[in-house]
């Protein structure tokens, strides 16, 4: 199932994006909301027919009546047994267990191997999806063997032909090994103090070399790194990763990546990648 991250998307843009997806497929699609922010487009997603919603970084206590009124199913990202129990008490249809190997913002504080068994136990039969560091079919087979009902892959899909990521970002993902990623709070513009895993790059190296100073005292702070024609400029330490439409210095922006970049060696189409994931997973089971 494809996922539309709609946390930072206006209702108007969300409606347009969902219509674009609907024109391409009638397969189910999920909308995701990071609950550290107001889920401004949740109503729009539901009105537009999305019936699977996932939440991370919080519990959707206020949103459950709305979800129920649309007959939607929902999943909650859980990184502790207590978090899993609270999500189940709210009626979560499935849980997403994230480990610290994950790319992007990392809610987890422990590795997937450490966390998955305890979330599966707490779930008591409710499906658990494993996320973080899963980038190929063999690793999907491994998390299924550990008791997960599925896997969620983020970084692997950034390096696909259809991805809107900048070519330089995609190429760095192909070249990178797991040890080229770092869990940091460096790129905090837009979401302060939330840990994230990124590829090591010039901005991160310079900030670490300066002793990881706080906002206001960081090297190159306020530099405009890229801009998009007709839209805003993107500054060093912003939390937006580089898109194909940005011009400037994308290498220095935040390049979200999980340790799963280890298994990325090409930039296939999504369809080619999906077939490969299924075949390799089946072969490894
Ligand atoms: C570029 C990128 C953007 C992401 N955006 C979101 C998001 O908006 N909401 C969310 O819950 N997780 C987000 N994640 C985290 C993923 O849901 C997932 O936990 C992670 O990608 C799994 O690890 P992997 O990248 O090694 O596959 C993002 C990850 C990446 C790489």
């Amino acid at each position: 199932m494809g996922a539309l991250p709609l946390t930072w998307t206006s209702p108007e843009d969300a409606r347009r994006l969902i219509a674009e997806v609907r024109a391409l497929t009638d397969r189910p699609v999920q909308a995701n909301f990071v609950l550290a922010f107001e889920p401004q487009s949740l109503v729009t997603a539901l009105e537009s027919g999305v019936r699977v919603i996932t939440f991370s970084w919080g519990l959707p206590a206020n949103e459950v009546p709305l979800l129920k009124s649309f007959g939607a199913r929902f999943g909650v990202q859980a990184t502790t047994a207590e978090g899993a129990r609270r999500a189940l008490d709210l009626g979560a249809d499935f849980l997403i267990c994230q480990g610290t190997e994950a790319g992007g913002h990392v809610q987890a504080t422990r590795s997937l191997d450490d966390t998955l068994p305890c979330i599966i136990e707490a779930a008591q039969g409710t499906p658990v999806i494993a996320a973080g560091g899963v980038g190929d079919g063999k690793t999907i087979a491994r998390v299924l063997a550990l008791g997960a009902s599925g896997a969620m892959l983020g970084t692997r899909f950034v390096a696909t032909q259809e991805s809107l990521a900048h070519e330089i970002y995609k190429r760095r993902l192909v070249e990178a090994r797991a040890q080229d990623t770092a869990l940091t709070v460096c790129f905090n513009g837009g979401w302060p103090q939330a840990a994230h895993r990124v590829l090591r790059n010039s901005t991160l190296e310079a900030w670490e070399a300066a002793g990881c100073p706080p906002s206001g005292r960081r090297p190159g702070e306020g530099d405009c790194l890229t801009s998009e024609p007709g839209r805003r400029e993107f500054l060093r330490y912003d939390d937006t990763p580089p898109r194909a439409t940005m011009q400037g210095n994308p290498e220095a922006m935040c390049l979200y990546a999980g340790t799963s970049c280890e298994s990325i060696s090409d930039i296939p189409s999504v369809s080619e990648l999906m077939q490969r994931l299924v075949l390799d997973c089946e072969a490894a089971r």
Side-chain angles (χ1 to χ4, degrees):
M1 193 193 309
L4 274 173
L6 296 181
T7 309
W8 299 275
T9 305
S10 68
E12 192 187 21
D13 286 347
R15 189 167 286 114
R16 181 181 48 76
L17 280 172
I18 295 165
E20 279 176 22
V21 171
R22 279 285 153 259
L24 292 167
T25 180
D26 52 12
R27 303 285 273 280
V29 62
Q30 62 166 286
N32 168 267
F33 295 92
V34 173
L35 286 177
F37 302 84
E38 191 58 35
Q40 52 171 324
S41 297
L42 176 58
V43 174
T44 304
L46 293 164
E47 283 174 354
S48 304
V50 177
R51 289 292 174 268
V52 181
I53 309 288
T54 59
F55 298 98
S56 55
W57 295 79
L59 288 167
N62 299 332
E63 288 75 20
V64 168
L66 182 67
L67 297 167
K68 289 232 163 85
S69 71
F70 278 90
R73 296 187 185 192
F74 70 100
V76 177
Q77 181 161 287
T79 55
T80 62
E82 178 55 23
R85 280 190 285 272
R86 290 170 65 190
L88 294 170
D89 287 347
L90 281 179
D93 296 287
F94 61 99
L95 300 175
I96 299 152
C97 173
Q98 190 197 44
T100 47
E101 299 89 338
H105 285 90
V106 179
Q107 182 185 344
T109 52
R110 288 183 298 160
S111 72
L112 187 59
D113 276 1
D114 281 350
T115 318
L116 191 55
C118 93
I119 300 292
I120 289 172
E121 195 188 332
Q124 296 187 330
T126 298
V128 176
I129 311 298
V134 183
D136 56 24
K138 197 172 157 197
T139 316
I140 297 174
R142 198 175 76 79
V143 296
L144 294 179
L146 290 172
S149 297
M152 182 182 275
L153 283 66
T155 304
R156 176 60 270 203
F157 284 91
V158 178
T160 54
Q161 285 169 23
E162 290 89 341
S163 152
L164 301 178
H166 198 284
E167 281 308 310
I168 287 176
Y169 179 16
K170 294 184 190 181
R171 266 211 312 278
R172 288 264 351 241
L173 286 173
V174 170
E175 290 158 8
R177 309 292 308 268
Q179 63 265 28
D180 299 322
T181 70
L183 191 57
T184 180
V185 290
C186 177
F187 296 93
N188 73 355
W191 189 358
Q193 297 314 318
H196 40 273
R197 188 175 288 280
V198 289
L199 292 177
R200 296 198 151 276
N201 67 354
S202 53
T203 297
L204 180 64
E205 300 280 343
W207 178 68
E208 286 182 348
C212 306
S215 301
R217 300 215 309 266
R218 299 177 293 184
E221 196 156 1
D223 291 352
C224 170
L225 292 179
T226 58
S227 59
E228 241 169 0
R231 295 184 70 183
R232 58 176 271 215
E233 295 188 328
F234 297 89
L235 306 183
R236 198 182 294 279
Y237 304 108
D238 273 359
D239 65 351
T240 306
R243 290 187 283 264
T245 43
M246 293 178 183
Q247 286 159 9
N249 181 11
E251 184 280 333
M253 297 178 78
C254 76
L255 307 175
Y256 294 126
T259 58
S260 50
C261 64
E262 181 82 29
S263 52
I264 300 177
S265 57
D266 61 356
I267 305 174
S269 68
V270 171
S271 143
E272 205 181 326
L273 174 60
M274 287 301 291
Q275 287 176 41
R276 188 192 303 170
L277 291 173
V278 170
L279 283 176
D280 292 351
C281 175
E282 282 172 353
R285 292 194 87 192

